[in-house]
Amino acid sequence: MKTNTTVDTAKLSLLLNELRLPAIKLMWPQCAEQADKEGWPAARFLAAITEHELAERDRRRIERHLAEARLLPGKTLDTFAFEAVPMISKAQVMAITAGDSWLEKGANLLLFGPPGGGKSHLASAIGLALIENGWRVLFTRTTDLVQKLQTARRDLALESALAKLDKFHLLILDDLAYVTKDQAETSVLFELISARYERRSMLITANQPFGEWGKVFPDPAMTLAAVDRLVHHATIFEMNVESYRRREAMERKRGPGRPASYATPANSVAD
């Protein structure tokens, strides 16, 4: 009997490998021992091991999506000081991170405000919350992505590069204003915006309001077209607050002992 049990166990291990069920393979003996002791019916045992497999798949998927997202480390909604940015509703942000219909419709989020106001922190924190809810996100400096798209265009692979970005439900472009006012750079940025319009969502942070986007796009018609596509289905956050970095410097000059109330940890960049 013991030999048969050993053979069955070895066969089961092979079958679970073939079925790609690593979590069940790892934990079924422990679960089976508990089931035998407590007299579980077969259905309960099967439900327990399959629930564990699904939970492990969710965990591994989130790990993969976090690795590819390139989010800013340590930037979460829990560490964002909403009280320091009173024009931002925490309830609204939490509703946004539920994901639901706005991502399915390809709607956008636009965060405006001066440097140091916490835009990058909030953008990355929203991305993290969405990943935890099952969505795929990519966080990138706008200039970095634009340069990659320019290289793809030179290699006659721009269409393929844009298609690869489609796997991300949300593309976060940080610091739009730092794109050089150059026809080659702004044209690929415009093509990216156009390619995702009403299909895939974008979250953009920018220091300048729309009225100053002529500094980014050299062609007024292109500026108007880009703005039109971005705002058509968009939620806009105006984060016009004093720079956290400036506040931090002032607190240091005043000396220790005052509690910090920043949107980012004191040892990291707020925007």
Side-chain angles (χ1 to χ4, degrees):
M1 181 67 69
K2 186 174 182 180
T3 301
N4 289 340
T5 300
T6 301
V7 172
D8 289 344
T9 300
K11 182 178 180 181
L12 179 58
S13 180
L14 293 173
L15 291 172
L16 292 173
N17 279 337
E18 188 70 21
L19 291 171
R20 299 179 182 178
L21 298 172
I24 290 179
K25 177 185 174 183
L26 182 65
M27 59 81 63
W28 80 263
Q30 177 184 352
C31 194
E33 183 178 354
Q34 183 179 359
D36 289 341
K37 287 181 179 179
E38 299 180 9
W40 291 3
R44 181 180 175 184
F45 171 71
L46 184 59
I49 59 175
T50 52
E51 285 174 1
H52 184 78
E53 180 69 42
L54 288 174
E56 281 297 296
R57 286 187 180 184
D58 286 343
R59 184 188 62 78
R60 292 194 299 269
R61 185 185 69 250
I62 289 174
E63 284 184 351
R64 290 195 306 271
H65 291 177
L66 281 174
E68 72 183 2
R70 303 173 190 172
L71 299 173
L72 300 177
K75 309 301 185 185
T76 70
L77 292 177
D78 287 339
T79 60
F80 186 82
F82 284 94
E83 67 277 6
V85 192
M87 65 286 297
I88 301 297
S89 164
K90 183 175 182 179
Q92 184 180 14
V93 171
M94 299 308 292
I96 284 171
T97 57
D100 51 54
S101 61
W102 72 276
L103 284 172
E104 295 172 356
K105 295 176 181 176
N108 301 317
L109 293 174
L110 308 175
L111 276 56
F112 294 101
K119 300 185 302 297
S120 299
H121 183 151
L122 183 59
S124 188
I126 288 173
L128 174 60
L130 289 172
I131 289 172
E132 291 173 343
N133 286 330
W135 304 93
R136 297 183 74 175
V137 175
L138 176 65
F139 183 103
T140 177
R141 284 167 48 90
T142 307
T143 51
D144 293 343
L145 183 59
V146 164
Q147 289 170 8
K148 291 178 181 178
L149 293 178
Q150 279 186 285
T151 300
R153 168 172 278 172
R154 287 195 298 268
D155 296 340
L156 304 180
L158 180 60
E159 185 175 347
S160 175
L162 294 175
K164 288 180 180 179
L165 292 173
D166 263 6
K167 70 180 181 180
F168 298 105
H169 300 100
L170 180 66
L171 179 60
I172 301 176
L173 298 184
D174 196 31
D175 290 333
L176 179 79
Y178 294 111
V179 173
T180 305
K181 188 176 179 179
D182 171 84
Q183 185 67 41
E185 286 197 5
T186 53
S187 64
V188 294
L189 177 58
F190 179 75
E191 288 192 48
L192 173 64
I193 293 171
S194 298
R196 293 182 72 88
Y197 176 57
E198 293 189 320
R199 298 178 51 256
R200 288 297 198 200
S201 296
M202 303 178 74
L203 190 163
I204 292 177
T205 74
N207 297 335
Q208 295 101 337
F210 290 128
E212 298 182 26
W213 278 28
K215 298 176 182 178
V216 178
F217 296 95
D219 181 357
M222 185 182 291
T223 303
L224 182 62
V227 170
D228 182 65
R229 284 164 172 76
L230 289 173
V231 303
H232 186 201
H233 306 288
T235 298
I236 300 175
F237 290 151
E238 296 280 356
M239 301 174 65
N240 295 316
V241 295
E242 182 183 357
S243 167
Y244 294 112
R245 288 189 286 267
R246 190 176 302 113
R247 287 189 188 184
E248 183 184 71
M250 293 300 293
E251 295 296 339
R252 284 199 300 267
K253 289 181 69 174
R254 281 194 284 262
R258 295 175 59 86
S261 58
Y262 311 131
T264 54
N267 63 350
S268 62
V269 177
D271 194 28

